[in-house]
């Protein structure tokens, strides 16, 4: 797990490409390894100028970049992983991890220890997750207590020395750059146990371990026989281990109930020291069967000082938590809507909040609404041309609720810029927003009694879990279904 190069690029109007490379670091030893591993598919790291132009082109951040380009903009090339391939010097530099945050582009090129043609699966490249962790660590360091450009410049000047400690020879040891900064003038202390290079300083105080499981459920529901509904659960396990000692050892176990959905595509933090092969080989690409590994999922680790994401996972749950039906019929300046929502009987009926948002973009302001709702209350946002159905904290005993009504619109303002037709016909949708505390859709939980801590003192162990909706759409069943991918919405074309 190593990085070939790292860049920080700031968006600055008035400069060439409206961007400037503020920091770059290459690792020649890693580059030599890449040349050996990649063989004929090897593409060298370019100079900053060509890299900047190629990256901005791929991210659609060039000022004159308005035309549709098949190789980049077609539906078959939509990117939702923040991992890109850059065309440079007749070859493709891949994989390039890059994302834009607060007018700063963070980018790196992980080492791939095999040939790049064809591209290996992202899940098999451990350097990608390490690259994300490094970039997020740099982002946190730059954003911490930053008040002006002077402080930003100061932190950028500190980066070369900090990366010598945090990422020597391109291998990430500690993503918390503040730790590296604090340790630069830290006096060395003799310990009976050797202090690891990636862990600077030790914790002093009451021992405690906190484990939080957050699952996000995505869903696309069409209520059509020829188009299958889709849904997926993505989970993140976040930990914070405040334990005394230089190298405390912890084993955290995740468990599932008898009817729980097995965890798949598991990616773990580098601090995990060993792992059962069954955990690593469980993939969502494979067909589910009774032999799928269903835990317990044990993670022995030596935790860092800061909060960290122990692992990420996906899961193929049998049904979405809320089944929905949405129909919109357009009649000149009016639309008639019908909504039916049903909470699955296996889901905990105790929400922190639950709302259904129904937008009507590309129309005039809402002038009148007549509706009938079986549960909750409806709010009208006239300026935003949208309805919000506030369902509340519980579904009724029937687990099923309905909304029907007629929405009348005024004339559309000619001052508004013309956008692609969205929320009309096949692109009309309802989006659900909800959160359930102390619950996960897979049933995954961390048992306090199964957490093993090998350190001085008996720690206080706390566990939390929650389910959150993310991109939970129910499409208009009265029209052809839209082609949806990530945040892009396109109308399916029919001859």
């Amino acid at each position: 797990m190593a990085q070939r190069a790292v860049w920080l690029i700031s968006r600055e109007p008035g400069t060439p490409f409206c961007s400037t490379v503020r920091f770059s670091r290459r690792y020649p030893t890693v580059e030599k390894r890449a040349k050996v591993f990649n063989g004929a598919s090897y593409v060298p790291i370019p100079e900053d100028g060509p890299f900047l132009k190629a990256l901005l082109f791929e991210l659609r951040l060039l000022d004159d970049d308005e035309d549709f380009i098949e190789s980049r903009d077609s539906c078959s090339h939509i990117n939702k992983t923040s991992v890109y391939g850059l065309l440079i010097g007749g070859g493709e530099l891949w994989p390039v991890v890059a994302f834009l945050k607060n007018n700063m582009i963070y980018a790196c090129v992980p080492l791939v220890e095999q040939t790049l043609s064809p591209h290996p699966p992202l899940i098999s490249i451990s350097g990608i997750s390490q690259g994300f962790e490094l970039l997020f660590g740099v982002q946190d360091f730059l954003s911490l207590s930053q008040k002006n450009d002077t402080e930003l410049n100061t932190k950028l000047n500190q980066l070369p020395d900090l990366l010598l400690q945090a990422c020597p020879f391109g291998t990430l040891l500690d993503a918390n750059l503040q730790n590296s900064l604090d340790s630069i003038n830290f006096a060395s202390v003799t310990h009976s146990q050797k202090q690891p290079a990636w862990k600077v300083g030790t914790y002093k105080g009451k021992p405690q371990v906190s484990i939080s499981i957050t699952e996000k459920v995505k869903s696309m529901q069409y209520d059509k026989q020829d188009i299958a509904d889709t849904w997926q659960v993505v989970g993140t396990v976040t930990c914070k281990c405040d334990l005394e000692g230089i190298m405390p050892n912890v084993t955290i176990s995740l468990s599932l109930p008898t009817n729980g959905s097995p965890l798949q595509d598991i990616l773990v933090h580098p601090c995990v020291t060993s792992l059962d092969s069954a955990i690593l080989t469980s993939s969502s690409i494979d067909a589910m069967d009774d032999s799928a590994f269903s835990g317990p999922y044990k993670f022995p680790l030596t935790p860092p000082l800061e909060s960290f994401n122990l692992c990420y996972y996906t899961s193929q749950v049998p049904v979405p938590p809320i089944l929905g039906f949405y129909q919109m019929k357009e009649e000149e300046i009016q639309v008639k809507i019908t909504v039916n929502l049903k909470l699955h009987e296996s889901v905990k009926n105790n929400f922190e909040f639950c709302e259904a948002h129904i937008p009507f973009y590309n129309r005039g302001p809402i002038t009148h609404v007549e509706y009938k709702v079986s549960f909750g209350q409806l709010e009208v946002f006239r300026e935003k041309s949208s309805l919000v159905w506030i369902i509340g904290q519980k579904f009724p005993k029937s687990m099923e609720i309905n909304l029907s009504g007629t929405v009348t619109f005024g004339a559309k303002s000619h001052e508004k810029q013309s956008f692609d037709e969205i929320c009309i016909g096949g692109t009309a949708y309802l989006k659900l927003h909800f959160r359930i505390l102390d619950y996960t859709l897979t049933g995954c939980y961390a048992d306090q009694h199964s957490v093993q801590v090998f350190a001085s003192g008996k720690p206080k162990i706390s566990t939390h879990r929650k389910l959150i909706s993310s991109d939970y759409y129910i499409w208009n069943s009265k029209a052809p279904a839209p082609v949806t991918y990530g945040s892009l919405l396109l109308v399916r074309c029919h001859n």
Side-chain angles (χ1 to χ4, degrees):
M1 296 189 295
Q3 306 302 312
R4 296 167 60 186
V6 181
W7 290 268
L8 295 182
I9 301 166
S10 63
R11 298 286 290 160
E12 298 177 3
T15 60
F17 308 127
C18 293
S19 300
T20 302
V21 177
R22 301 294 299 274
F23 173 83
S24 64
R25 166 64 61 85
R26 292 163 176 77
Y27 296 95
T29 56
V30 182
E31 194 65 14
K32 290 182 179 180
R33 293 163 59 193
K35 191 172 184 179
V36 174
F37 283 123
N38 301 159
S41 60
Y42 167 76
V43 175
I45 296 294
E47 295 297 322
D48 290 348
F51 176 83
L52 174 62
K53 186 174 182 179
L55 180 62
L56 295 178
F57 171 82
E58 190 65 28
L59 297 178
R60 291 191 63 93
L61 294 176
L62 292 175
D63 285 348
D64 57 351
D65 193 6
E66 298 179 354
D67 297 330
F68 175 86
I69 299 175
E70 176 71 19
S71 62
R72 180 194 63 191
D73 301 326
S74 69
C75 291
S76 61
H77 293 86
I78 296 174
N79 188 297
K80 63 174 183 178
T81 61
S82 296
V83 178
Y84 304 90
L86 306 185
L87 298 179
I88 296 176
E92 183 188 41
L93 182 64
W94 184 92
V96 178
V97 176
F99 60 88
L100 175 65
K101 187 73 173 180
N102 296 331
N103 287 325
M104 184 76 76
I105 301 174
Y106 300 80
C108 67
V109 180
L111 171 67
V112 181
E113 298 180 348
Q114 57 182 299
T115 182
L116 301 178
S117 182
H119 289 171
L122 296 183
I123 194 173
S124 68
I125 306 173
S126 57
I128 289 181
S129 58
Q130 187 195 71
F132 275 112
E133 187 177 10
L134 171 61
L135 296 180
F136 288 144
V138 174
Q139 176 195 329
D140 291 343
F141 172 72
L142 294 182
S143 60
L144 183 65
S145 301
Q146 180 187 318
K147 298 178 181 179
N148 50 51
D149 289 339
T150 302
E151 291 188 9
L152 175 61
N153 292 333
T154 300
K155 291 192 173 185
L156 288 173
N157 291 333
Q158 293 170 339
L159 274 182
D161 292 335
L162 297 181
L163 288 183
L164 283 176
Q165 293 194 34
C167 192
F169 302 103
T171 301
L172 182 64
L173 299 179
D174 187 1
N176 190 333
L177 299 189
Q178 190 63 39
N179 284 345
S180 299
L181 180 63
D182 295 339
S183 70
I184 289 179
N185 297 319
F186 189 80
S188 61
V189 180
T190 302
H191 296 281
S192 58
Q193 188 177 12
K194 186 177 179 181
Q195 183 91 354
W198 56 266
K199 188 172 184 179
V200 290
T202 56
Y203 172 79
K204 294 293 182 181
K206 293 183 178 180
Q208 52 188 355
V209 176
S210 175
I211 306 168
S212 177
I213 303 174
T214 300
E215 288 188 351
K216 293 184 178 181
V217 57
K218 302 180 180 182
S219 181
M220 296 284 177
Q221 299 181 32
Y222 306 97
D223 193 47
K224 293 179 180 293
Q225 293 184 350
D226 56 335
I227 300 177
D229 296 344
T230 62
W231 58 90
Q232 184 187 40
V233 172
V234 179
T236 303
V237 181
T238 304
C239 300
K240 182 73 165 69
C241 300
D242 295 328
L243 301 171
E244 293 188 348
I246 300 173
M247 290 283 284
N249 292 315
V250 180
T251 298
I252 295 175
S253 297
L254 302 180
S255 301
L256 296 174
T258 304
N259 59 344
S261 300
L263 310 185
Q264 301 171 319
D265 305 328
I266 298 176
L267 296 176
V268 300
H269 191 275
C271 72
V272 176
T273 56
S274 63
L275 210 58
D276 190 320
S277 60
I279 296 178
L280 290 175
T281 56
S282 180
S283 172
S284 59
I285 299 176
D286 302 328
M288 289 288 292
D289 54 44
D290 294 337
S291 64
F293 183 69
S294 57
Y297 304 85
K298 294 188 176 182
F299 302 91
L301 56 110
T302 301
L305 293 175
E306 71 278 2
S307 176
F308 63 99
N309 292 328
L310 173 64
C311 70
Y312 303 91
Y313 63 83
T314 66
S315 184
Q316 301 178 40
V317 294
V319 292
I322 299 178
L323 292 169
F325 167 83
Y326 174 49
Q327 187 177 89
M328 184 184 78
K329 296 175 62 177
E330 302 177 63
E331 299 177 356
E332 297 181 353
I333 62 171
Q334 289 185 336
V335 296
K336 293 184 177 180
I337 61 172
T338 302
V339 182
N340 175 268
L341 300 176
K342 185 175 183 179
L343 180 68
H344 193 268
E345 59 185 7
S346 65
V347 177
K348 180 180 180 181
N349 189 13
N350 190 0
F351 295 80
E352 184 178 12
F353 65 86
C354 184
E355 298 176 352
H357 292 217
I358 309 175
F360 300 100
Y361 304 135
N362 291 314
R363 301 178 185 274
I366 297 176
T367 58
H368 185 67
V369 179
E370 292 183 2
Y371 67 92
K372 180 180 180 181
V373 61
S374 66
F375 193 79
Q377 61 187 41
L378 188 70
E379 291 191 0
V380 181
F381 292 86
R382 301 181 187 277
E383 298 80 8
K384 296 181 179 180
S385 296
S386 64
L387 304 179
V388 176
W389 183 8
I390 301 176
I391 299 167
Q393 297 180 326
K394 283 182 178 291
F395 273 62
K397 290 184 178 181
S398 65
M399 298 294 189
E400 190 169 354
I401 57 178
N402 300 282
L403 165 67
S404 60
T406 302
V407 185
T408 305
F409 302 91
K412 183 178 179 181
S413 173
H414 296 291
E415 297 177 359
K416 290 187 177 180
Q417 184 179 356
S418 177
F419 291 91
D420 294 335
E421 290 192 350
I422 194 169
C423 297
I424 295 176
T427 61
Y429 66 87
L430 173 151
K431 186 176 183 181
L432 282 174
H433 299 262
F434 58 82
R435 180 185 295 147
I436 307 177
L437 300 181
D438 194 27
Y439 176 79
T440 53
L441 200 56
T442 62
C444 180
Y445 66 94
D447 186 359
Q448 296 180 358
H449 302 290
S450 67
V451 178
Q452 297 177 311
V453 178
F454 304 93
S456 60
K458 186 177 181 180
K460 175 184 177 182
I461 299 174
S462 60
T463 61
H464 312 275
R465 56 181 186 162
K466 60 186 174 183
L467 175 69
I468 303 174
S469 63
S470 173
D471 297 334
Y472 205 105
Y473 292 96
I474 300 171
W475 297 92
N476 180 17
S477 64
K478 194 64 178 177
V483 177
T484 63
Y485 206 102
S487 60
L488 182 69
L489 309 176
L490 300 171
V491 177
R492 187 187 302 274
C493 296
H494 295 270
N495 295 327

